[in-house]
Amino acid sequence: MTPVPLIFAAVSDIAGKVRGKAFPADQLDRRLLRGLGWTPTNVQITCFDRIAETPFGALGDLLMIPDPEAAAKVSFADGHTEHFMMSDITTLDGAPWDFCMRSLLRTALERLHDVAGVHLICAFEHEFQVKSRPAPANQAYSREGFELQRNLCETLMAALKSAGLVPDSIMKEYGPGQYEAVVAPAKGLRAADQAVILRELTRSAARSLGEEATFTPIRDIASVGNGVHVHMSFVDDDDMPVTHDENGPCGMSALTDAFAAGILKYLPHIVALTAPSVISYARLTPHRWSAAYNNLGFRDREASLRVCPVTARDPASIARQFNIEYRAADAAASPYLALAAIVHAGTQGIVDGLRAPAPTEEDLSLLSAEDLHARGFVRLPETLERALDAFAADPVVTGWFPAPFAAVYRAHKTAEIAHLADMDTPARCAAYEDTY
Ligand code: GLU
Ligand code: MG
């Protein structure tokens, strides 16, 4: 008996999980046209496998349409092959479904293009922790800590390459057993596809070596979190970079300035979508190099939005390398949904002609609430409940999404919160570590 090679048609959902169905690889042509059946209520399966209140019940049918441009096929040294293809979810008539995260991102990117005539170039920088063996102490950024997982790092880089990503770098991060993987930027939707592929292949590469990797937002609140940092720049229709202006504030072009201003203005209202777990808010606290205020930083790793340094010297390379980095995201969020929210917020800033505030160069946690307010800063929501309230409360923000989206999202997250109600913080961290 010869095993039948299967392709897994995958979607990334509200829970930030990758779910789907497999089909025999020799049916690919048919599946690209006709898809695979999918169920609306699946979008209400939380990251803890509970079904939240659902407007769909047992009713309705959808299609998953695999996208061959978003495929990963990797053969690991232990002899097994993984093959998956990110998919769109459509109605039976072929229209994008309101809760297809990929389609939500496509809409946001089209809006950016309609408004500003530009395309997003983006790279997700991911932190994760190896949890299978007790992490050796005192190995922040160390060579020894890196060598302990050289095999995993090299296996992961090979897996990413065979999935068509361009590995940039990998390092031993600060936290216990924490590593950070970076790939080259990609255009629009492809960047979010790559983020899903990277997360899935990191877990797979670890498993193939008898290890386990987690992208959970934070494992231990006495330590640092695992961030997802989203680097963004823009090109015009002729692929010319339009992010940088040497005379602009912090080197930002007028377009980047307005985009950044939109993100900062709407940040408290979108963080429920970019840092969507209960424990995400233990990570988004001062002095963890994550993000706690809606501030702009010039090369400052405590800012929610950072203007990154460039290493290039010549003007053309500087213009292409220059980018801004959104730091208030984690891997409990679907990369499609997180990026859709960020792009809409930035685009709104362009529509409204906003200007970014001056960058901060101080510890904002030392300011009183009045001083923060007087200077136009807010502490980001400190719990998922408050973040959900802030999302629901802003009709501009909910208006970026299909009409039923905000209520369904809230119901989903309410069930996730309820699952954790009787747990203390370490138990909550453990629960998320099991799922991400
Ligand atoms: N671990 C930090 C976070 O949670 C980021 C550290 C850094 O790479 O600057 O976002
Ligand atoms: Mg890092």
Side-chain angles (χ1 to χ4, degrees), residues 78 130 132-133 203-213:
D78 66 4
V130 177
S132 24
R133 21 174 138 155
R203 295 191 190 93
S204 301
R207 236 181 348 260
S208 77
L209 299 168
E211 302 273 15
E212 231 182 313

Side-chain angles (χ1 to χ4, degrees), residues 82-250:
E82 299 194 2
H83 193 179
F84 60 93
M85 222 170 253
M86 300 314 297
S87 310
D88 289 333
I89 308 178
T90 70
T91 64
L92 295 183
D93 305 331
W97 187 46
D98 283 353
F99 300 92
C100 168
M101 304 299 129
R102 261 183 125 223
S103 302
L104 296 181
L105 175 56
R106 220 180 257 117
T107 303
L109 293 165
E110 282 165 9
R111 179 172 173 234
L112 171 66
H113 187 259
D114 288 347
V115 163
V118 298
H119 306 269
L120 182 77
I121 304 294
C122 175
F124 286 71
E125 181 184 314
H126 281 94
E127 294 170 338
F128 62 93
Q129 282 167 292
V130 177
K131 64 176 184 174
S132 24
R133 21 174 138 155
N138 312 328
Q139 298 298 346
Y141 306 110
S142 77
R143 191 196 71 83
E144 203 178 328
F146 172 75
E147 293 297 352
L148 282 169
Q149 291 297 351
R150 172 182 285 273
N151 200 3
L152 170 56
C153 295
E154 292 186 347
T155 301
L156 173 58
M157 293 285 122
L160 295 175
K161 262 179 98 167
S162 69
L165 283 66
V166 180
D168 175 279
S169 55
I170 187 157
M171 68 167 179
K172 172 71 193 68
E173 248 285 358
Y174 176 73
Q178 190 181 40
Y179 294 79
E180 175 179 304
V182 184
V183 295
K187 205 168 182 177
L189 190 66
R190 175 70 188 160
D193 287 335
Q194 291 192 351
V196 180
I197 291 170
L198 183 141
R199 293 175 197 177
E200 294 301 294
L201 291 183
T202 302
R203 295 191 190 93
S204 301
R207 236 181 348 260
S208 77
L209 299 168
E211 302 273 15
E212 231 182 313
T214 177
F215 287 80
T216 190
I218 192 160
R219 288 183 83 195
D220 170 6
I221 63 159
S223 184
V224 292
N226 293 306
V228 171
H229 301 163
V230 185
H231 292 261
M232 293 170 288
S233 59
F234 311 99
V235 292
D236 64 17
D237 286 338
D238 299 321
D239 201 35
M240 292 309 288
V242 289
T243 325
H244 179 67
D245 176 350
E246 60 180 354
N247 300 315
C250 304

Side-chain angles (χ1 to χ4, degrees), residues 127 173 180 225-227 229 283 288-290 301 327:
E127 294 170 338
E173 248 285 358
E180 175 179 304
N226 293 306
H229 301 163
R283 169 178 165 258
R288 273 181 217 276
W289 289 25
S290 62
R301 290 187 174 77
R327 297 172 65 87

